[in-house]
């Protein structure tokens, strides 16, 4: 890119010209709007709150429909995030709405890790968008944007203040997403308790530096209403999809033995204010803030992590490409070095093992020799013994023979004598 | 007609005039003495902060026990540990004195990591049992102070779908040490249908996890029907869904304890609004003494038996002659003596064999 040309333009003075007739580019906003409407809008809501606090009911009430959602159990081991995407349509405007619920939040006995799955989910959506942005062949206009535009944090109305879990979680999320805290099940808090609770909650958030979403007050058209709403945060809401009879009308509400709470009655709860602010007035601003502030912060951190910088050591601006090349070279060098290391290690190992094996071989050989020697010695001993035995046997045999002959002679002598006597007798 | 072995019921024959003995006044005598002595009761309340425990206690006993209480911020509660705080008051009604002790457990379930957050509570209950055990076994038993916890009200938040893991773990750690009465707190955020569903759910889960909560004693068969009906209704209503209030509002022309909303007034003592009246009647008016009895007869006895068992097995190992507490020797066979017996048996066998061998040898030699 020719950087010098751009600089030249910046230094030139800009002049305003008067038009002498109607040109017609005042239709630009309309063109923009009609194009955007044709494309359809995307809006992603994250609902964070304990099980059973009324997240699904409030969503149903806000969008006047029934999103299917199974009742969650209290006994999950970890917090899970369940996104559901719906396509809604109102007066020719298409809205792709994604509602993400935190299932099991606040149920575990040890909640120190509870915020992690939420953080990871939000970051994952940012990462997906970043990936798409950095692709070579990308289609951003077609991309289904899943980044969370608003986080409704449901505070349980326990009458005194925020819970410690709420504080910790909101602190972790405030730099990643637009948080709007709401007081759920507000039909259990009486009016002056509600005022005290709102003041206490806001003061705790402020004193702990939690940055919740502020409705924008720059645009004159909505500045007044937004600034007055900012003072009414957090909104105390009641949700219901059932109808109750009030007077002779059927309205959305909850029927108690002591009276009926009307959801859309501003004296009963702040539901109408919430709907106004989130859906009717500031929806586009929420999307912009997500992209311009939270996503940009994420992107900057992520790229800095990867080693990219906007300005180098000698204050020259690097382009992404140069930095990328440099990074790549570094990476390859690193890889080669690692390969060398591993090869060396392998060679060393082989040498070692060879030496060991040789040693063992020698040892075995020695032992074999030793055994052979022992064997020969034994054999010699045995031979000697055998010879001795043979000699003894021979000697014994001789004695035996001698004894036998002697006995034979003696017997002959005896037997001859009787013969003689017989002979004598005969004679 | 009375034999020396056992006791037989003495029946007066119909013809004789029944002579009044007079022991029918025993109940009155007991009544008089007990009024003079006064009663004491220790109640523990447990549950997350903001469930309305203090408000309920104030509503139950119609006083204000918690003046000048300091509540912690969310930040301070991140790593909070559970404390045990006792409040003791003496209250009197129609001449009957009650020394009421409320044991508070601030910090339970409030930290981010609540692992074993019930341990300080179980330790406290065990300590009271141990204290009573030592006092009971001591030499001077005149003025034993009974600090044992007679009842624990556990507040379940109404925001969920039933019991949460921390509720289950807490009740399982305590159900064999103290009478647990689970309550659904802040019941004014539930419609009657939702209350019924939640109660059924909680009863189911209590059965499923084998938690032994306090059971009302069975009615005697000779009570009248109305009482039995009331008793049955009471049992089907557990766990009680309660609402408390520190303020008095004007409703239907009367001044009652209640909560004022833009859409109506919740009356604490209205039975169709919540079960507060049932809880009060049960806890104070009919079953207070039964709670004390169950604590003495069941929980404390379990603790005592366990304690003694541990002690005697330890003693046998250490071979100590003295024991700090006078106890009877156990008749259970000891591991050591059994070993000894075995050894002696084997020796005998060996000697027998040798003898046989020798006899055999002698026999052979003779031949």
């Amino acid at each position: 890119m020719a950087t010098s040309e751009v600089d030249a333009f910046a230094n030139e003075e800009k002049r305003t010209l008067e038009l002498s007739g109607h040109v017609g580019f005042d239709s630009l906003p309309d063109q923009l709007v009609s194009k955007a409407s044709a494309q359809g809008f995307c809006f992603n809501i994250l609902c964070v709150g304990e099980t059973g606090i009324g997240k699904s009911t409030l969503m149903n009430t806000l969008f006047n429909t029934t999103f299917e959602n199974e009742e969650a159990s209290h006994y999950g081991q970890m917090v899970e995030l369940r996104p559901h995407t719906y396509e809604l349509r109102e007066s020719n405007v298409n809205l792709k709405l994604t509602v993400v619920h935190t299932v099991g939040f606040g149920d575990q006995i040890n909640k120190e890790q509870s915020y992690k799955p939420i953080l990871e989910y939000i970051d994952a959506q940012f990462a997906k968008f970043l990936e798409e942005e950095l692709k070579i062949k990308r289609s951003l206009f077609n991309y289904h944007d899943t980044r969370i535009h608003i986080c409704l944090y449901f505070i349980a109305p326990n009458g005194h203040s925020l819970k410690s879990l709420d504080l910790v979680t909101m602190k972790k999320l405030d730099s990643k997403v637009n948080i709007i805290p709401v007081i759920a099940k507000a039909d259990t808090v009486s009016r002056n308790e509600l005022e005290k609770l709102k003041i206490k909650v806001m003061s705790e958030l402020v004193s702990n530096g939690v940055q919740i979403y502020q409705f924008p007050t720059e645009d004159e058209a909505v500045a007044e209403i937004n600034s007055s709403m900012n003072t009414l945060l957090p909104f105390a809401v009641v949700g219901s999809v059932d109808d109750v009879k009030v007077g002779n009308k059927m309205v959305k509400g909850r029927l108690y033995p002591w009276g009926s709470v009307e959801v859309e009655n501003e004296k009963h709860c702040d539901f109408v204010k919430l709907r106004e602010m989130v859906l009717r007035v500031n929806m586009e601003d929420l999307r912009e803030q997500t992209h311009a502030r939270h996503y940009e912060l994420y992107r900057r951190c992520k790229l800095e992590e990867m080693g990219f910088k906007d300005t180098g050591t000698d204050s020259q601006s690097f382009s992404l490409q140069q930095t990328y090349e440099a990074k790549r070279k570094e990476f390859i060098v690193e890889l080669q070095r690692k390969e060398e290391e591993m090869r060396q290690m392998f060679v060393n190992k082989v040498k070692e093992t060879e030496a060991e094996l040789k040693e063992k071989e020698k040892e075995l050989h020695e032992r074999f020799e030793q055994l052979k020697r022992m064997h020969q010695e034994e054999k010699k001993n045995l031979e000697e013994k055998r010879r001795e035995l043979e000699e003894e046997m021979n000697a014994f045999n001789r004695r035996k023979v001698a004894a036998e002959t002697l006995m034979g002679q003696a017997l002959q002598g005896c037997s001859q004598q009787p013969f003689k006597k017989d002979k004598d007798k005969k004679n | 007609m009375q034999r020396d072995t056992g006791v037989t019921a003495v029946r007066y024959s119909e013809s004789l005039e029944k002579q009044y003995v007079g022991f029918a006044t025993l109940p009155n005598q007991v009544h008089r003495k007990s009024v003079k002595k006064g009663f004491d009761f220790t109640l523990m309340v447990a549950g997350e902060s903001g469930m309305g425990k203090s408000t309920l206690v104030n509503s139950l006993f119609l006083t204000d026990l918690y003046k000048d209480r300091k509540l912690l911020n969310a930040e301070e509660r991140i790593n909070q540990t559970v404390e045990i705080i006792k409040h003791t008051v003496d209250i009197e009604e129609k001449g009957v004195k009650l020394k009421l002790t409320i044991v508070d457990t601030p910090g339970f379930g409030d930290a981010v990591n609540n692992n074993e957050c019930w341990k300080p509570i179980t330790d406290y209950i065990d300590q009271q049992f141990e204290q009573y055990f030592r006092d009971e076994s001591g030499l001077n038993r005149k003025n034993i102070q009974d600090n044992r916890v007679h009842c624990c009200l556990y507040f379940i938040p109404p925001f969920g779908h039933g019991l949460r893991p921390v509720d289950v773990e807490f009740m399982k750690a305590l159900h064999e040490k103290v009478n647990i009465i689970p309550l659904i707190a802040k019941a004014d955020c539930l419609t009657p249908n939702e209350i019924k569903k939640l109660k059924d759910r909680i009863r189911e889960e209590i059965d499923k996890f084998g938690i032994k909560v306090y059971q009302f004693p069975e009615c005697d068969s000779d009570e009248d029907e109305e009482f039995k009906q009331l008793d049955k209704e009471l049992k089907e209503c557990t766990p009680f869904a309660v609402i408390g209030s520190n303020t008095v509002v004007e409703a239907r022309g009367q001044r009652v304890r209640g909560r004022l909303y833009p859409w109506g007034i919740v009356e604490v003592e209205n039975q169709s609004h919540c079960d507060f009246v049932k809880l009060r009647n049960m806890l104070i008016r009919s079953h207070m003494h039964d709670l004390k009895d169950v604590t003495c007869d069941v929980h404390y006895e379990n603790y005592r038996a366990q304690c003694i068992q541990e002690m005697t097995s330890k003693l046998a190992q250490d071979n100590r002659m003295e024991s700090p507490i006078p106890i009877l020797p156990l008749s259970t066979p000891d591991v050591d003596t059994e070993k000894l017996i075995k050894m002696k048996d084997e020796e005998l066998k060996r000697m027998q064999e040798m003898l046989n061998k020798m006899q055999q040898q002698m026999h052979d030699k003779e031949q």
Side-chain angles (χ1 to χ4, degrees):
Chain A
M1 261 274 272
T3 1
S4 44
E5 280 177 25
V6 177
D7 282 358
F9 281 148
N11 284 334
E12 204 181 280
E13 257 191 49
K14 295 195 185 63
R15 303 171 291 154
T16 41
L17 293 172
E18 286 284 322
L19 299 171
S20 47
H22 180 236
V23 181
F25 60 76
D26 59 352
S27 66
L28 270 172
D30 297 327
Q31 294 176 29
L32 187 66
V33 166
S34 64
K35 176 152 181 269
S37 310
Q39 259 183 349
F41 296 90
C42 211
F43 196 59
N44 306 319
I45 305 182
L46 170 67
C47 292
V48 180
E50 342 180 313
T51 309
I53 199 90
K55 306 182 284 288
S56 322
T57 315
L58 188 70
M59 287 295 109
N60 290 348
T61 323
L62 257 180
F63 290 98
N64 227 340
T65 168
T66 315
F67 299 124
E68 41 175 70
N69 223 331
E70 339 143 324
E71 201 179 79
S73 112
H74 282 283
Y75 301 99
Q77 291 293 349
M78 277 293 299
V79 177
E80 245 186 81
L81 275 92
R82 284 200 206 145
H84 292 282
T85 310
Y86 310 97
E87 301 233 357
L88 305 170
R89 188 184 167 82
E90 194 181 54
S91 320
N92 287 335
V93 175
N94 289 325
L95 178 68
K96 212 181 218 151
L97 176 74
T98 305
V99 179
V100 187
H101 284 293
T102 51
V103 177
F105 186 74
D107 278 333
Q108 298 79 23
I109 293 186
N110 183 353
K111 298 177 271 225
E112 283 176 348
Q113 310 294 321
S114 293
Y115 70 88
K116 283 214 181 121
I118 307 176
L119 214 59
E120 280 168 13
Y121 181 84
I122 297 177
D123 278 344
Q125 309 316 307
F126 282 155
K128 266 206 277 189
F129 193 83
L130 184 64
E131 206 183 290
E132 183 68 27
E133 244 192 1
L134 292 176
K135 267 195 198 161
I136 299 173
K137 254 188 159 178
R138 63 188 194 182
S139 54
L140 278 176
F141 59 90
N142 233 343
Y143 178 70
H144 176 206
D145 186 6
T146 52
R147 298 172 295 181
I148 302 289
H149 299 121
I150 176 178
C151 169
L152 284 175
Y153 195 94
F154 288 72
I155 299 173
N158 71 1
H160 297 312
S161 68
L162 278 182
K163 286 203 186 143
S164 47
L165 173 67
D166 296 340
L167 194 61
V168 165
T169 311
M170 280 204 262
K171 194 102 181 60
K172 295 276 179 193
L173 293 178
D174 68 351
S175 57
K176 301 255 174 198
V177 73
N178 300 316
I179 300 185
I180 295 188
V182 292
I183 299 178
K185 304 220 167 178
D187 53 357
T188 192
V189 196
S190 69
R191 172 155 299 132
N192 47 351
E193 284 174 359
L194 187 62
E195 278 183 28
K196 278 201 274 184
L197 181 62
K198 283 192 183 185
I199 295 178
K200 190 80 187 359
V201 167
M202 289 311 281
S203 77
E204 282 193 333
L205 289 176
V206 164
S207 66
N208 283 292
V210 176
Q211 295 192 350
I212 57 175
Y213 176 74
Q214 295 291 325
F215 301 118
T217 44
E218 286 105 25
D219 187 355
E220 301 110 28
V222 291
E224 212 186 290
I225 184 173
N226 274 350
S227 57
S228 72
M229 288 298 169
N230 275 330
T231 59
L232 290 174
L233 283 175
F235 293 132
V237 293
V238 174
S240 169
V241 284
D242 303 319
D243 290 329
V244 294
K245 199 171 167 76
V246 172
N248 47 7
K249 288 195 297 173
M250 295 296 281
V251 290
K252 280 198 289 215
R254 288 169 66 76
L255 179 60
Y256 289 111
W258 48 86
S260 309
V261 182
E262 297 159 49
V263 167
E264 298 193 357
N265 184 334
E266 298 217 35
K267 294 204 210 76
H268 287 189
C269 70
D270 299 331
F271 172 78
V272 174
K273 298 192 181 77
L274 176 72
R275 188 175 56 191
E276 276 279 318
M277 286 292 103
V278 171
L279 295 183
R280 296 186 185 172
V281 177
N282 294 308
M283 204 179 197
E284 185 55 34
D285 183 69
L286 283 164
R287 294 172 37 162
E288 246 186 69
Q289 288 277 341
T290 309
H291 183 75
R293 210 171 66 175
H294 300 292
Y295 172 69
E296 287 301 313
L297 180 63
Y298 170 83
R299 182 173 171 278
R300 195 171 69 215
C301 293
K302 205 57 194 237
L303 292 180
E304 272 175 3
E305 235 177 82
M306 294 207 277
F308 293 105
K309 282 192 281 278
D310 270 344
T311 51
T313 39
D314 36 349
S315 321
Q316 273 193 334
S317 40
F318 286 168
S319 79
L320 197 67
Q321 199 184 12
Q322 287 178 328
T323 330
Y324 185 61
E325 275 300 317
K327 272 254 119 175
R328 197 157 152 273
K329 284 210 196 95
E330 237 186 79
F331 187 61
I332 291 181
V333 165
E334 179 78 22
L335 263 178
Q336 283 182 337
R337 191 175 62 83
K338 277 218 171 112
E339 220 182 300
E340 264 307 308
E341 254 186 59
M342 288 185 86
R343 203 176 295 150
Q344 270 296 72
M345 253 171 53
F346 181 69
V347 168
N348 286 351
K349 258 253 148 87
V350 169
K351 278 209 200 122
E352 265 181 44
T353 331
E354 266 188 30
E356 261 183 52
L357 279 171
K358 277 217 186 98
E359 279 254 352
K360 287 247 163 80
E361 219 184 299
K362 243 201 308 185
E363 236 181 277
L364 274 170
H365 214 68
E366 266 187 40
R367 236 196 278 164
F368 180 64
E369 295 286 320
Q370 212 186 14
L371 277 170
K372 216 159 105 180
R373 258 180 276 138
M374 267 170 64
H375 182 243
Q376 285 192 347
E377 269 191 43
E378 293 259 327
K379 210 160 144 192
K380 248 200 302 185
N381 285 351
L382 273 170
E383 283 288 330
E384 270 192 42
K385 281 215 175 113
R386 197 161 80 128
R387 245 180 283 134
E388 274 175 33
L389 212 65
E390 270 192 31
E391 276 191 33
E392 264 182 50
M393 261 174 66
N394 286 345
F396 181 69
N397 275 342
R398 266 183 266 131
R399 276 177 38 209
K400 189 166 150 196
V401 168
E404 273 183 5
T405 40
L406 226 69
M407 256 181 69
Q409 279 181 358
L411 263 174
Q412 253 187 348
C414 272
S415 61
Q416 273 182 358
Q417 276 188 354
F419 272 152
K420 276 191 187 157
K421 272 195 183 156
D422 274 343
K423 262 186 188 168
D424 284 341
K425 271 190 186 165
K426 274 183 186 168
N427 294 340
Chain B
M1 278 229 199
Q2 264 188 322
R3 302 190 201 108
D4 283 332
T5 56
V7 175
T8 33
V10 178
R11 300 187 73 235
Y12 295 104
S13 58
E14 303 286 308
S15 52
L16 278 178
E17 215 182 53
K18 247 174 50 175
Q19 284 179 324
Y20 187 62
V21 179
F23 55 75
T25 61
L26 267 171
N28 295 350
Q29 296 179 27
V30 169
H31 193 265
R32 219 180 47 233
K33 279 218 158 197
S34 66
V35 168
K36 195 164 147 228
K37 197 164 133 194
F39 294 89
D40 60 50
F41 191 68
T42 307
L43 178 68
M44 175 182 269
V45 285
E48 286 184 358
S49 125
M51 284 290 112
K53 304 185 289 290
S54 329
T55 315
L56 188 74
V57 168
N58 284 343
S59 309
L60 270 176
F61 295 99
L62 294 174
T63 78
D64 190 6
L65 258 82
Y66 295 94
K67 290 202 195 58
D68 310 325
R69 193 167 56 133
K70 187 178 164 304
L71 294 165
L72 294 179
N73 285 333
E75 195 189 350
E76 293 162 345
R77 278 189 268 140
I78 292 178
N79 289 318
Q80 193 182 27
T81 48
V82 180
E83 283 174 68
I84 307 277
I85 297 187
K86 272 171 41 170
H87 300 268
T88 308
V89 286
D90 281 317
I91 43 185
E92 184 180 322
E93 196 179 54
K94 290 207 189 116
V96 177
K97 298 196 198 58
L98 174 66
K99 184 165 94 98
L100 175 70
T101 308
I102 307 282
V103 180
D104 234 339
T105 55
F108 176 79
D110 282 343
V112 177
N113 183 354
N114 288 317
N115 260 336
E116 306 235 311
C117 61
W118 49 85
K119 203 151 179 313
I121 302 177
T122 50
D123 286 345
Y124 175 81
I125 296 178
D126 281 340
Q127 261 174 37
Q128 306 312 308
F129 278 157
E130 199 185 308
Q131 179 74 38
Y132 194 81
F133 187 36
R134 290 197 181 279
D135 287 347
E136 203 186 42
S137 323
L139 294 170
N140 187 354
R141 305 205 297 184
K142 247 195 175 168
N143 290 323
I144 305 184
Q145 268 216 337
D146 187 2
N147 285 327
R148 299 173 291 184
V149 180
H150 299 123
C151 174
C152 174
L153 294 177
Y154 185 69
F155 289 71
I156 301 172
F159 308 127
H161 296 307
L163 292 178
R164 298 163 307 159
V166 69
D167 301 331
V168 174
E169 292 299 315
F170 175 84
M171 289 203 268
K172 279 176 82 160
L174 259 75
H175 63 163
E176 292 184 336
K177 296 189 191 273
V178 73
N179 298 316
I180 298 186
I181 298 182
L183 301 174
I184 299 177
K186 299 210 162 194
D188 56 352
C189 90
L190 299 169
T191 61
N193 273 342
E194 290 170 349
I195 290 186
K196 187 166 176 318
K197 257 190 11 191
L198 187 60
K199 283 187 182 184
D200 288 340
R201 202 52 171 295
I202 292 181
R203 270 202 296 264
E204 229 180 82
E205 291 183 339
I206 286 180
D207 272 337
K208 187 168 99 170
F209 290 106
I211 300 172
K212 302 193 203 105
V213 296
Y214 173 69
Q215 302 290 336
F216 302 115
E218 296 296 327
C219 274
D220 295 326
S221 51
D222 54 353
E223 297 277 358
D224 57 13
E225 277 306 311
E226 200 193 315
F227 188 81
K228 277 201 209 162
Q229 181 66 20
L230 281 174
D231 192 63
K232 189 157 150 289
E233 274 176 26
L234 208 66
K235 288 192 188 155
E236 281 173 4
C237 227
T238 54
F240 295 130
V242 292
I243 303 172
S245 168
N246 282 329
T247 51
V248 176
V249 294
E250 179 114 4
R252 295 178 287 137
Q254 291 179 321
R255 291 179 65 74
V256 288
R257 270 195 185 234
R259 290 171 64 75
L260 178 63
Y261 289 113
W263 49 85
I265 300 178
V266 183
E267 297 162 47
V268 168
E269 300 199 9
N270 186 333
Q271 294 233 34
S272 58
H273 288 187
C274 71
D275 297 329
F276 172 80
V277 174
K278 292 199 178 77
L279 173 70
R280 183 184 58 192
N281 289 346
M282 189 278 296
L283 185 64
I284 301 178
R285 294 183 189 178
S286 43
H287 289 79
M288 197 180 234
H289 209 80
D290 184 66
L291 284 164
K292 289 181 69 169
D293 283 343
V294 174
T295 311
C296 288
D297 297 339
V298 177
H299 300 294
Y300 173 68
E301 290 299 318
N302 280 342
Y303 173 83
R304 186 171 170 275
Q306 210 183 22
C307 224
I308 294 182
Q309 191 94 330
E310 281 173 14
M311 258 198 278
T312 49
S313 67
K314 228 182 140 234
L315 280 177
Q317 282 177 13
D318 294 350
N319 243 338
R320 258 188 258 154
M321 297 305 290
E322 274 183 63
S323 66
I325 290 171
I327 42 175
L328 294 169
L330 284 176
S331 56
T332 51
D334 207 353
V335 187
D336 286 338
T337 34
E338 272 197 55
K339 266 203 221 146
L340 228 64
I341 292 173
K342 256 202 206 137
M343 272 170 55
K344 295 283 181 212
D345 267 333
E346 276 173 34
E347 260 195 75
L348 268 167
K349 253 199 234 150
R350 264 184 271 135
M351 305 207 88
Q352 193 76 22
E353 271 175 41
M354 273 175 63
L355 216 66
N356 283 346
K357 255 200 234 156
M358 280 168 64
Q359 275 193 351
Q360 191 74 18
Q361 279 179 4
M362 277 172 57
H363 192 72
D364 286 342
K365 270 202 183 148
E366 271 174 30
Q367 283 195 344

